[in-house]
Amino acid sequence: MPDLSKFKATGRETCFHGRHIGAQIYDGLDGSNWRLKDYEQRGGYQALRRILGLDGGAGMTPDEVIAEVKSSGLRGRGGAGFPTGLKWSFMPKNYAGPKYLVCNSDEGEPGTCKDRDILAYNPHIVIEGMAIAAYAMGAAAGYNYIHGEIFEVYQRFEQALDEARAAGCLGERILGSSFSFELHAHHGFGAYICGEETALLESIEGKKGQPRFKPPFPASFGVYGRPTTINNTETFAAVPWIIRHGGERYLAVGKPNNGGTKIFSVVGDVNAPGNFEIPLGTPFSKLLELAGGVKGGALKAVIPGGSSAPVLPANIMLDCTMDYDAIAKAGSMLGSGAVIVMNDSRCMVRSLLRLSYFYQHESCGQCTPCREGTGWLWRLVDRIEHGRGRMEDIDVLDSVADNIMGRTICALGDAAAMPVRGMIKHFRDEFVHHVEHKRCAAGTAAALATT
Amino acid sequence: MTFSDDTLARFAREVAKYPPQHKASAVMACLAIVQQEQGFVSTQAEDALAAYLGMPPIAVHEVTTFYNMYNQQPVGKFKLNVCTNLPCQLRDGQTALDHVCSRLGVEPYGTTADGVFTVQPSECLGACADAPVMLVNDRQMLSFMGAERLDELVDTLRAHAADESR
């Protein structure tokens, strides 16, 4: 294989651009300082030392660690926004066998690329966060499930694991304490569904990534049938800061019920796409400014939380702050923090066609409403986009989406349906125009003719 | 099929990550190793890996066929996967795929007559801010691949293939 390094991302555009606000996870990174000694210079592994009582203090009990995380208001950064401390408290305390901890780095939600930059440029913050979580929940072993498409990042993380083991930050009797925790990296190989936590567990067990029925939830029946907690990469990465500075300070960084900073991947029609770590509650307009503003026209619409989140028109979005509650109130979801920006030349039917293709491609096939329904959605949107649609198709589309929602084992069905419903709700006139005129009203008429 | 000692050592490193009774957990990593070394995953390789991991061959085959990145057929020396999902499409991902295809004279999923290139569209690679993005042979991600850089890449890979066949 020839040297292809000149074609590779350096992180300058997406991560070390200096346009974060109050960064906690991305703070001080430059691409070369990912190693353990660099991380320690930034204060790394101090939180782990503190809970183990190795910094001269009294240490913290597992319950105290969980209480601290609860007080921070930290919510899951992978998409669902579930309170992290509460999730940790679900793990059984007096379980006789092994318990597991899993990090979900299967970052494949279209629009999202934040975890990649954490793992590539600050891998030890995830290792430390997981070690703290393992201590809090009594987990003896953990796995970081990394998106198969970012193989070089997987290799980087394995290097960081080797460093952490050599320094005594992982393994038997960590840093000389009585606490032991082993952590390994596991890679995927191309399956969006494995971002769903129980599909991910199946995948770790060496099976097809088909989600499990819940209950039982992973806290009682997880990997190998053992109690397991799964958190997103960014969630674990937030933990060391919380232990070092306190949950209350973390909460104060964001807004009530929305503690801390959040990394947003701003992509699509912006002048400077990238990852931006900002306090939750920051106005959307400020985030857009950090990403260099809209490219190629005026702002038309934003998909604010990854491709599964319902689209919001510009006027609604410009009134929003970037936090779980504000985006939910506006009728969408913060999701993984992927902000897909679209300018006024974009055709919403064409955009939805690409998303609908994706969901029918990635449906695992287990539940009929999703397996069949996502195909119907795609074919209906394809028909409308290509000038063969009937007016009643728009309502059929909405009805199929409605009938998928809530009728499947996992959230992929909802994820396929929500973009459809959002597009029809806010941009119905474009679908009507396609049916009536057999062509697109937006600036992509030429594209329509060629596809 | 028998695996070389080097390959078995790579397998063993993956197996060691999991409890001894759960060797099957290493199947994804081992199949990726097979693909890296042999170019694709044959049924013979699946059967041999199944024996090594103590799994039914069909369980290995289920994994090969479920995950998008396993090649179930031989591919070109360089497999190029260009992301065309919506965030990439907004930043010329589809244009990048079209450009590579027309430059190489293949349809999507096609392989060039000389066996050097296979071109495939792909779903989200998780690098949306770097669009257009692509993978070369599963393990190397290339970013900001506009037409000029794509041409340069094709030239680089083609020259490398020509050198090797000399």
Side-chain angles (χ1 to χ4, degrees), chain B residues 67-104:
Chain B
Y67 296 91
N68 295 327
M69 289 169 68
Y70 294 115
N71 307 328
Q72 297 171 58
Q73 306 291 333
V75 295
K77 183 176 176 59
F78 299 111
K79 181 177 72 166
L80 310 180
N81 286 88
V82 183
C83 179
T84 59
N85 206 306
L86 179 63
C88 272
Q89 184 176 289
L90 296 173
R91 300 191 75 82
D92 295 330
Q94 183 66 43
T95 309
L97 176 69
D98 295 345
H99 183 85
V100 176
C101 284
S102 79
R103 172 82 202 267
L104 296 174

Side-chain angles (χ1 to χ4, degrees), chain A residues 108-113 265-270 273 303 306-307 338-342 346 351 354-355 358, chain B residues 83-94 123-133:
Chain A
E109 176 72 14
T112 321
C113 51
S265 304
V266 186
V267 302
D269 293 324
V270 290
I303 302 174
S307 68
V339 179
I340 306 170
V341 176
M342 301 163 87
R346 299 301 178 183
S351 300
R354 186 60 187 85
L355 290 180
F358 167 65
Chain B
C83 179
T84 59
N85 206 306
L86 179 63
C88 272
Q89 184 176 289
L90 296 173
R91 300 191 75 82
D92 295 330
Q94 183 66 43
E123 292 304 342
C124 186
L125 301 176
C128 317
D130 299 359
V133 285

Side-chain angles (χ1 to χ4, degrees), chain A residues 205 224, chain B residues 15 18-27 30 51-55:
Chain A
E205 293 183 5
Y224 310 130
Chain B
V15 168
Y18 309 96
Q21 69 275 32
H22 296 292
K23 283 164 74 175
S25 286
V27 66
C30 292
Y52 175 80
L53 293 174
M55 296 170 71

Side-chain angles (χ1 to χ4, degrees), chain A residues 264 302-306 309-312 317 322 327 332-334 337-340:
Chain A
F264 293 97
V302 177
I303 302 174
V311 66
L312 293 174
M317 208 54 216
M322 297 307 293
I327 300 290
S332 187
M333 59 183 197
L334 194 74
V339 179
I340 306 170

